Amino acid sequence: MRRFLDGLYGLGAVLGALCTVGVLVAVLAGIVAREAGWNIPGTDAYAGYFMAAAGFLALASTFKHGEHIRVTLILNSLAPAGGRRLDIFALAVGVLLAAAFAWYSVKLAHDSWEFNDVSTSNDATPLWIPQISMALGTLLFFIALVDELIRRIRGHAAPSSQQVHE
């Protein structure tokens, strides 16, 4: 199961990286088109879609590699047992918030598909297409938080960027 989950988080990171390349391609296409006097509709919108997708898809991998900002001032000032309880509590609250975020992200994409909602820019992209990446990214993040909560309850330490890179 561990290999599957780590692969899932890695896949999200790879997709996020590809979306970062998508931002570059969209921006460059817009620049080249303007210089050549062409009109490629939606390049600005697609750059924005790719940027949002890159951020959401990389959430889980970034979290599991200990790269999210983590304020440990209070945790470090407590006794180990108290710090562990507070950490588990914070992760449980994070799981609840991530569950709500994932639920509403999936609902948003579904509603956009159901009502045939399109972007207001001149490309009229069906909005469910870029919203899928947000829904997928928030689902992956929810899974990563549940995974980490279970690991912490079992006594594993929090991931840190030094542990992962060594």
Side-chain angles (χ1 to χ4, degrees):
M1 184 61 134
R2 176 85 270 134
R3 271 171 56 185
F4 171 75
L5 288 173
D6 289 343
L8 196 60
Y9 308 142
L11 177 62
V14 168
L15 291 174
L18 289 173
C19 287
T20 302
V21 173
V23 172
L24 172 69
V25 170
V27 169
L28 286 177
I31 292 170
V32 169
R34 275 190 288 276
E35 289 299 316
W38 305 329
N39 179 29
I40 302 177
T43 54
D44 294 338
Y46 286 110
Y49 298 151
F50 279 125
M51 189 179 307
F56 280 106
L57 291 169
L59 276 173
S61 177
T62 306
F63 174 71
K64 291 302 284 184
H65 282 88
E67 299 293 337
H68 282 200
I69 295 173
R70 185 174 161 89
V71 181
T72 57
L73 184 65
I74 296 173
L75 287 175
N76 291 339
S77 68
L78 296 173
R84 182 173 177 273
R85 280 190 293 254
L86 181 60
D87 198 23
I88 289 171
F89 173 75
L91 281 168
V93 170
V95 164
L96 293 175
L97 292 172
F101 195 21
W103 170 261
Y104 285 107
S105 295
V106 170
K107 184 177 178 344
L108 176 67
H110 179 267
D111 288 350
S112 292
W113 173 76
E114 189 173 294
F115 298 120
N116 197 27
D117 199 10
V118 295
S119 71
T120 56
S121 61
N122 59 358
D123 64 314
T125 300
L127 287 176
W128 64 268
I129 296 171
Q131 289 169 351
I132 285 175
S133 62
M134 180 175 74
L136 181 59
T138 55
L139 282 170
L140 285 174
F141 187 52
F142 168 70
I143 292 167
L145 279 165
V146 169
D147 177 25
E148 199 56 38
L149 176 61
I150 292 169
R151 286 175 44 82
R152 203 70 96 269
I153 288 170
R154 290 182 174 172
H156 296 277
S160 72
S161 57
Q162 291 82 22
Q163 290 172 338
V164 174
H165 298 300
E166 289 177 354

